[in-house]
Amino acid sequence: MKIISSILKDLGDNFRVRRILPSFEARHVGPFVFVDHMGPVPILSGKELVVRAHPHIGLATITYLYDGVILHRDSIGTEMPIRPFEINWMTAGSGIVHSERSQLDPNFSFLEGIQTWVALPKESEEVDPEFFHLDRGQIPVLSGDLWEFRLAAGEFLGERSPVKVYSTLFYGDLEAKSGAKVEWKIPSDQESALYVARGSLDVQGNQVEVGQMAVFDLGETISFSSKEGVRAILLGGVPLPESRHLWWNFVSTSQERIERAKLDWKEERFPVVPGEVERIPLPPG
């Protein structure tokens, strides 16, 4: 087991995140190749998060909120707000374009959440794009003494989420109260990690604070306790056999495919988000 720390990233449009994956210490955990912790930021105008239309290939994106409301729009015609305890899962596959914007809501004064990418298996990198939304009541809940785990995607401890996935994985929202002690056995072919978003954890005698991730070895038992309570993201699964190229919003086993995606975006050959004209330009490089 090792502990890695996030770094602060400025995404432009006045929005900053803590980025925990990829890092020098861990390029991936199972099929997961990217994790951002956004916020918390006060919601004053509804413009706290403005991510203009941008493309993805070769991955699925996951948005999960603790506070606030975000409106997702994409090039396959989806327009879907997401609220806390819900999940937006977008499979990019051969290519999709989407935007995300925070929304004013009288129930929330802050915006905070987790955004994650999972790489698709090589044979599924070019699947047709899809979008899935799960309301709170559709997400399976596992619970024990002083803890609750909402399984957003994949399979864990015998429970399965209805979200369509293409590889063996698990992803969800862990909430543990003060005094919780947990030990979970993980299959020998799977990696796992816990990212702390609120509170702290004691993992094998190590204190894991907000912005840090405990990354467990292949098949290692997940064991932790919490003195003050914690909100964390648990993720993992079977590592994909091939390495992945990551450039901007593109993930692929092929550098040639990345280059083609870059040119397609530059020359406006990606599909468009209906009704939107603003787009993020291709970065240099």
Side-chain angles (χ1 to χ4, degrees):
M1 190 274 295
K2 57 187 172 185
I3 299 171
I4 61 177
S5 297
S6 59
I7 59 174
L8 196 62
K9 284 280 188 179
D10 190 337
L11 301 185
D13 295 320
N14 299 314
F15 199 76
R16 293 183 177 182
V17 299
R18 291 185 177 99
R19 180 156 301 165
I20 191 68
L21 283 183
S23 74
F24 289 113
E25 299 94 339
R27 305 303 297 174
H28 63 83
V29 176
F32 293 88
V33 296
F34 180 95
V35 178
D36 269 1
H37 178 187
M38 54 184 178
V41 294
I43 300 174
L44 303 174
S45 67
K47 296 182 180 179
E48 284 67 32
L49 173 69
V50 179
V51 182
R52 294 165 290 159
H54 59 282
H56 290 284
I57 64 164
L59 55 83
T61 69
I62 311 153
T63 303
Y64 191 86
L65 297 182
Y66 297 138
D67 280 297
V69 179
I70 289 176
L71 179 66
H72 164 100
R73 304 179 75 211
D74 64 39
S75 56
I76 59 174
T78 309
E79 184 168 324
M80 176 64 68
I82 180 173
R83 296 174 173 83
F85 300 103
E86 302 175 350
I87 186 164
N88 278 2
W89 180 287
M90 184 183 75
T91 300
S94 60
I96 198 169
V97 178
H98 77 129
S99 66
E100 291 181 303
R101 293 176 173 85
S102 57
Q103 305 286 288
L104 287 173
D105 187 294
N107 296 308
F108 302 103
S109 55
F110 285 86
L111 176 68
E112 184 181 11
I114 307 290
Q115 294 203 308
T116 312
W117 297 354
V118 54
L120 296 175
K122 184 176 181 179
E123 65 273 14
S124 303
E125 287 182 311
E126 298 296 327
V127 297
D128 291 337
E130 294 182 282
F131 179 86
F132 302 93
H133 174 86
L134 293 186
D135 291 326
R136 182 172 185 169
Q138 297 174 284
I139 299 176
V141 179
L142 297 86
S143 60
D145 188 19
L146 300 177
W147 63 267
E148 186 171 87
F149 178 61
R150 292 170 276 275
L151 180 61
E155 186 174 358
F156 191 70
L157 300 181
E159 290 286 347
R160 181 184 293 273
S161 165
V163 166
K164 181 180 178 180
V165 298
Y166 287 86
S167 63
T168 301
L169 59 85
F170 51 89
Y171 179 89
D173 174 26
L174 170 68
E175 197 164 5
K177 296 180 180 179
S178 175
K181 294 183 178 181
V182 175
E183 185 173 294
W184 292 323
K185 293 189 180 299
I186 299 299
S188 60
D189 61 346
Q190 296 187 32
E191 297 175 334
S192 60
L194 277 166
Y195 173 75
V196 174
R198 296 176 176 178
S200 65
L201 287 174
D202 183 288
V203 183
Q204 300 176 11
N206 300 284
Q207 195 77 357
V208 184
E209 306 284 352
V210 172
Q212 294 183 313
M213 176 182 277
V215 181
F216 299 90
D217 296 331
L218 194 70
E220 185 177 3
T221 296
I222 298 174
S223 178
F224 65 88
S225 61
S226 181
K227 293 181 180 179
E228 62 171 321
V230 71
R231 194 80 179 270
I233 289 292
L234 171 68
L235 57 84
V238 176
L240 299 174
E242 314 87 1
S243 61
R244 290 301 188 277
H245 300 279
L246 276 73
W247 190 89
W248 193 35
N249 302 310
F250 305 138
V251 174
S252 180
T253 54
S254 165
Q255 184 61 44
E256 181 182 353
R257 181 67 180 93
I258 296 282
E259 296 301 320
R260 180 155 55 91
K262 290 162 69 173
L263 187 60
D264 286 345
W265 184 246
K266 183 178 180 180
E267 298 187 353
E268 301 187 14
R269 290 197 290 262
F270 268 87
V272 299
V273 178
E276 294 197 10
V277 295
E278 288 188 311
R279 65 202 295 270
I280 299 177
L282 187 75

